[in-house]
Amino acid sequence: MPTALAQASPNIAFVKYWGNRNQGLRLPSNGSISMTLEGLETRTSVSYLPELTQDEFWLDGSQTRGQQLERVTKHLDHIRSLTDMRSFASVESQNNFPAGVGIASSASAFASLTLAACAAAGMDLDPKSLSRLARLGSGSACRSIFGGFVRWFAADRHEESYAEQIAPANHWGLVDLVAVASRQHKAIGSTAGHALAETSPLQPARVEDAPRRLELCQAAILARDFSNLAPIVEQDSNMMHAVMQTSTPPLLYWQPATVAIMQAVREWRRAGIPVCYSVDAGPNVHCLCLDDAADDVARRLEAIEGVLEVRRAGAGGPARLL
Ligand code: PMV
């Protein structure tokens, strides 16, 4: 039976992807840089079965229908079109982290799905080709093919937009402490959000300035320079939220606790603690810090009113077959 099992981890973007120059191909408006997260995993198995009359997709033990299934089928169709495989597939995905804690599962889901679906169809692709393919399922998934610190290149053509590792996981002891401010499911997901980005008059300025942020961020990572990393990470997050908040309709993902955490983090950094914040398309706050400071920062976060939970992850490894 043509079957394969793969594992991938989510990632947190330091310079964020928001908006596409080509929505269908998920060609991003700007490049991005992320850290793949250790210990958080999606495992996905793909079995092509001649007896199936359509694809099936099981997520954390429940069979999915509608949009979730359609998105997986579309991705499998693309992979099948590159091979001789004509059978439908049974896909099973398991996350070892709960949904709704502010850790995007689409990156690890589509990175592991791409790897398993290609391997089961007999395709042995290099990481760059896998990254390109994963991007078609979920933009940020192209970064989760790689471990450590990763950069995704924006381009006008499918062939030229993929991710690459800029430094391995053991390069720098950075920790992501995710302060959970709400477990409610977000109203507007990232696919719909990307489509709204260009309705904000601030998006062109954000995109135009992206090369500067990317260079500063990459240089700070390579030099392990936290004091240069922190302001650029926070500025990039603020710029994305400025675009979100000024699009039509506006997207306001922050809750009162989100703002309280951002304020506290800035105060702690002024007092000398190496920590900065980054917020994705949701209310939870990713607090990046050096590992020596992580216990102290986690305790401080837990003491803030409205913080439900703090999750911890260092830099993790690449997507791989099991
Ligand atoms: O890959 P998507 O469509 O889930 O978009 C990810 C968007 C952000 O998480 C907000 C930013 C990023 O670069 O990961």
Side-chain angles (χ1 to χ4, degrees):
M1 184 170 71
T3 181
L5 173 64
Q7 168 189 308
S9 295
N11 63 74
I12 175 67
F14 296 178
V15 174
K16 294 185 187 295
Y17 152 52
W18 196 248
N20 288 313
R21 57 183 74 183
N22 180 319
Q23 197 75 8
L25 291 175
R26 296 183 199 270
L27 292 172
S29 302
N30 61 278
S32 52
I33 290 179
S34 61
M35 179 173 90
T36 302
L37 299 175
E38 184 188 29
L40 305 164
E41 288 160 11
T42 303
R43 285 183 174 208
T44 302
S45 70
V46 175
S47 307
Y48 294 103
L49 303 169
E51 63 270 27
L52 291 179
T53 55
Q54 58 169 42
D55 295 316
E56 43 178 63
F57 174 40
W58 300 77
L59 177 59
D60 291 329
S62 309
Q63 189 164 16
T64 66
R65 306 194 189 280
Q67 276 183 356
Q68 266 181 325
L69 173 63
E70 278 163 30
R71 194 162 165 191
V72 167
T73 288
K74 194 172 165 208
H75 200 58
L76 290 170
D77 281 344
H78 189 84
I79 289 168
R80 279 184 289 245
S81 75
L82 305 172
T83 71
D84 296 333
M85 178 55 68
R86 292 296 165 261
S87 299
F88 290 110
S90 178
V91 177
E92 278 177 52
S93 234
Q94 287 277 351
N95 291 315
N96 76 349
F97 55 98
V101 294
I103 297 164
S105 56
S106 68
S108 49
F110 280 94
S112 57
L113 173 65
T114 304
L115 187 53
C118 288
M123 265 200 294
D124 182 18
L125 297 179
D126 59 15
K128 182 167 150 180
S129 309
L130 285 167
S131 173
R132 232 187 248 124
L133 270 181
R135 190 200 80 233
L136 296 171
S138 164
S140 56
C142 78
R143 299 187 306 238
S144 276
I145 294 294
F146 298 91
F149 301 87
V150 181
R151 181 164 177 174
W152 170 19
F153 300 99
D156 289 327
R157 294 177 54 236
H158 168 66
E159 290 69 29
E160 286 158 19
S161 187
Y162 51 82
E164 263 175 14
Q165 186 182 68
I166 57 176
N170 65 5
H171 168 72
W172 196 14
L174 272 188
V175 172
D176 180 12
L177 295 169
V178 192
V180 179
S182 166
R183 290 202 186 86
Q184 277 201 337
H185 199 75
K186 58 190 171 201
I188 303 251
S190 48
T191 300
H194 291 299
L196 295 180
E198 65 191 49
T199 67
S200 165
L202 303 187
Q203 172 74 344
R206 182 189 156 275
V207 170
E208 198 192 331
D209 182 62
R212 180 190 68 90
R213 300 193 304 281
L214 288 162
E215 290 324 309
L216 286 173
C217 180
Q218 176 159 337
I221 291 170
L222 293 180
R224 301 184 190 90
D225 184 338
F226 193 86
S227 58
N228 277 342
L229 182 75
I232 205 71
V233 166
E234 290 186 356
Q235 185 183 46
D236 186 83
S237 172
N238 293 344
M239 285 173 93
M240 181 181 75
H241 285 273
V243 166
M244 290 164 159
Q245 290 166 17
T246 52
S247 61
T248 306
L251 302 173
L252 180 56
Y253 288 110
W254 298 347
Q255 292 294 328
T258 314
V259 179
I261 298 162
M262 293 194 289
Q263 298 276 22
V265 163
R266 292 172 69 124
E267 224 166 84
W268 300 338
R269 193 160 76 256
R270 271 196 294 273
I273 300 172
V275 57
C276 66
Y277 67 75
S278 184
V279 184
D280 277 343
N284 304 323
V285 185
H286 292 256
C287 301
L288 303 166
C289 63
L290 293 177
D291 49 10
D292 286 350
D295 288 341
D296 177 34
V297 173
R299 267 192 305 272
R300 288 167 181 261
L301 287 169
E302 277 157 6
I304 294 178
E305 196 182 324
V307 173
L308 307 173
E309 181 190 351
V310 177
R311 299 212 149 228
R312 179 176 179 153
R320 59 190 177 93
L321 286 168
L322 299 169

